[in-house]
Amino acid sequence: MAVAALPYWRLSSFYLFYFALLGSTAPFLALYFDHLGFSAARIGELVAIPMLMRCVAPNIWGWLGDYTGRRLAIVRFGAVCTLLTFSLIFVSKTYAWLAMVMALHAFFWHAVLPQFEVITLAHLQGQTSRYSQIRLWGSIGFIITVVALGRLFEWLSLDIYPAALVLIMAGIVLSSLWVPNAQPAPGHRVAGEGFLKQLRSPGVLAFYACVALMQMSHGPYYTFLTLHLERLGYSRGVIGMLWAVGVVAEVLMFMAMSKILARFSLRRVLLASFLLAALRWLLLGSLAEFLWVLLFAQVLHAATFGSFHAAAISFVQRSFGARQQGQGQALYAALAGTGGALGALYAGYSWNALGAALTFSIASLAALAAAVIIATCMQEDRP
């Protein structure tokens, strides 16, 4: 049976290590650059560089994956090159060198996930609702890493940070070697329908615009939340736990997503995600000194990432045929990168000039704009 043949733990282990790396960079990368003495503007630029690479790299690798069909080879090659290029960080800590390291490793790192998503969905064939059960291990990897590193950096210097990242990258390489290959089954799309024609289907372009806006709204969160909370008096261990609270909420959401998507349309799930994101950024920017407000805002990560990402992956799979899946996933990653880079850049330049409250308010407006677009431009779909 297909269910028995599903390589659940092999797929899950890859997500665990991949998102453990995100759990070590999202909360702590800006903190590390601050530790090295860079200004808020330079930190914003360094954090934005990997996101800018996400605008270009996934489309190149996505086209190559669709053209050759060798997606697993691309995943393994990308994982190895990510490890090797990031290791250059041990050579120098100047701004120019770090910018190069951020660009090089991100070019290969962003080759990995969109192609792996296609492989996972190919293994699932007809069991798409089980995607969230596999993907939640990525969230677990994030939680373990963010809590462990938060505690570690209370005891030891941030100078050990690059070594911790290299260990996690080695885990990504090893787990990629354990995963069996799979190819997506031919879809219902007519063979003559190319990627651009499918892209022009009703609501698809609006969806991708909203992806960029949603990730732009995350700019201050991923770039400055840790520094913001540290300056409000929270310890690094507590900050790590607060990041983990958000991802625990995300895990619970992933576990419930198959039932939610069976009951509600993708349009409604996306709309709710955008509206809750707008609320979340306002709370983080203005009321984060109150622990109960901060905890509630972190629980909203279930919507701003969990339900949004699961619904987005489902939308992309539904909108593109088998031969365009890689490009569809890559465009999702690329526009998320574009939005994320813009968010990191504006946050870096506005953080000192405008302050935390106004910077997060701009993020809230971006999420609200996405809600308006999805409400007016996407057709209601049947659950």
Side-chain angles (χ1 to χ4, degrees):
M1 294 289 291
V3 176
L6 179 68
Y8 179 84
W9 291 111
R10 297 188 186 195
L11 295 170
S12 299
S13 69
F14 182 88
Y15 282 103
L16 186 142
F17 280 107
Y18 185 91
F19 285 94
L21 183 57
L22 187 61
S24 61
T25 54
F28 301 116
L29 188 60
L31 190 65
Y32 177 66
F33 291 144
D34 182 68
H35 170 73
L36 294 178
F38 292 108
S39 67
R42 297 292 85 78
I43 291 170
E45 290 162 3
L46 288 170
V47 171
I49 288 170
M51 298 179 183
L52 285 170
M53 294 307 297
R54 194 177 174 190
C55 309
V56 179
N59 289 303
I60 296 172
W61 297 109
W63 173 84
L64 190 62
D66 285 341
Y67 182 76
T68 65
R70 301 190 64 187
R71 293 186 174 87
L72 187 56
I74 290 172
V75 168
R76 290 169 176 169
F77 177 75
V80 170
C81 290
T82 299
L83 172 61
L84 294 177
T85 52
F86 184 81
S87 297
L88 295 171
I89 199 171
F90 295 109
V91 175
S92 173
K93 301 295 190 300
T94 64
Y95 175 81
W97 188 263
L98 287 173
M100 183 195 71
V101 171
M102 291 297 103
L104 280 177
H105 96 274
F107 179 77
F108 294 106
W109 188 32
H110 293 315
V112 170
L113 188 62
Q115 300 309 307
F116 197 80
E117 297 276 37
V118 177
I119 293 167
T120 299
L121 292 169
H123 276 295
L124 287 169
Q125 288 183 19
Q127 309 171 63
T128 332
S129 60
R130 294 196 67 193
Y131 168 80
S132 296
Q133 298 170 16
I134 294 171
R135 172 58 183 79
L136 69 84
W137 284 97
S139 304
I140 291 170
F142 189 107
I143 292 167
I144 292 170
T145 309
V146 79
V147 171
L149 289 183
R151 290 296 182 190
L152 189 65
F153 295 146
E154 282 191 340
W155 303 328
L156 301 173
S157 167
L158 276 161
D159 291 331
I160 66 162
Y161 179 69
L165 265 61
V166 164
L167 283 175
I168 296 168
M169 289 174 183
I172 296 174
V173 172
L174 292 175
S175 62
S176 74
L177 299 176
W178 193 34
V179 173
N181 200 12
Q183 295 291 345
H188 66 279
R189 295 278 183 176
V190 178
E193 289 193 349
F195 176 70
L196 291 177
K197 187 171 182 181
Q198 293 173 30
L199 189 60
R200 291 193 296 269
S201 299
V204 175
L205 287 174
F207 162 78
Y208 278 116
C210 291
V211 167
L213 284 167
M214 184 63 146
Q215 293 308 312
M216 178 181 169
S217 80
H218 280 71
Y221 177 73
Y222 284 128
T223 311
F224 290 114
L225 180 67
T226 299
L227 289 170
H228 179 47
L229 296 182
E230 196 170 57
R231 284 159 191 172
L232 286 175
Y234 296 97
S235 70
R236 288 175 183 173
V238 169
I239 292 169
M241 293 294 289
L242 287 165
W243 277 88
V245 165
V247 187
V248 168
E250 171 194 314
V251 170
L252 296 175
M253 179 59 75
F254 276 131
M255 293 172 70
M257 275 310 293
S258 59
K259 292 181 180 178
I260 291 172
L261 290 176
R263 183 172 180 181
F264 299 101
S265 68
L266 290 175
R267 178 178 175 272
R268 291 186 179 185
V269 173
L270 290 169
L271 181 59
S273 300
F274 297 142
L275 291 173
L276 289 171
L279 171 63
R280 186 187 185 197
W281 307 141
L282 288 176
L283 295 176
L284 287 177
S286 302
L287 299 168
E289 64 269 25
F290 301 105
L291 182 60
W292 69 271
V293 175
L294 187 53
L295 286 168
F296 175 68
Q298 286 303 88
V299 168
L300 289 180
H301 194 71
T304 62
F305 183 82
S307 62
F308 167 74
H309 179 69
I313 289 292
S314 181
F315 182 88
V316 172
Q317 191 198 25
R318 184 180 299 185
S319 301
F320 295 96
R323 290 182 62 83
Q324 290 79 32
Q325 282 290 310
Q327 292 173 80
Q329 296 290 355
L331 184 59
Y332 170 61
L335 282 169
T338 302
L342 289 173
L345 286 171
Y346 98 74
Y349 296 133
S350 72
W351 194 255
N352 289 335
L354 301 178
L358 279 176
T359 301
F360 272 106
S361 294
I362 296 169
S364 182
L365 286 174
L368 196 59
V372 171
I373 291 171
I374 219 74
T376 56
C377 299
M378 181 180 282
Q379 296 177 347
E380 192 69 36
D381 57 294
R382 290 186 178 183

